Amino acid sequence: MQIERTNKEILIRVSSGTDLVGLQRILDYLKFREIASKSKASQKQIDELSSESKSSWWNKNKSRFVK
C-alpha cells in the first residue's frame, strides 16, 4: 500500500488483489465522514432525521418480519 499527499488530495494505492467489497466499505465510511464534517445540522436535527428514517423503514418492511 502506498499513501501520497498532494496539495489537494491524498492518494492511496493498493494492490489489485485487494478485497473490493471491504475496500468499498472503507471508502463509503470515508465519504460519510467527509460529508458529515461539512454538515451544519445540530445533533437534535440528526437524531430526528434518524428516528424518522427508521420509522419510515419499519413501516415499509414490518410485514417481512411480523407475520
Side-chain angles (χ1 to χ4, degrees), residues 16-37:
S16 61
T18 301
D19 170 39
L20 292 180
V21 173
L23 181 58
Q24 186 61 56
R25 287 181 180 160
I26 292 168
L27 294 173
D28 291 344
Y29 174 72
L30 292 174
K31 185 67 173 176
F32 161 76
R33 293 293 305 238
E34 181 180 32
I35 292 168
S37 73

Side-chain angles (χ1 to χ4, degrees), residues 22-58:
L23 181 58
Q24 186 61 56
R25 287 181 180 160
I26 292 168
L27 294 173
D28 291 344
Y29 174 72
L30 292 174
K31 185 67 173 176
F32 161 76
R33 293 293 305 238
E34 181 180 32
I35 292 168
S37 73
K38 297 174 186 175
S39 173
K40 294 182 177 155
S42 69
Q43 186 61 49
K44 182 179 178 184
Q45 291 170 319
I46 292 168
D47 292 343
E48 289 171 356
L49 181 60
S50 173
S51 179
E52 182 180 320
S53 174
K54 288 177 187 176
S55 176
S56 174
W57 182 90
W58 178 247

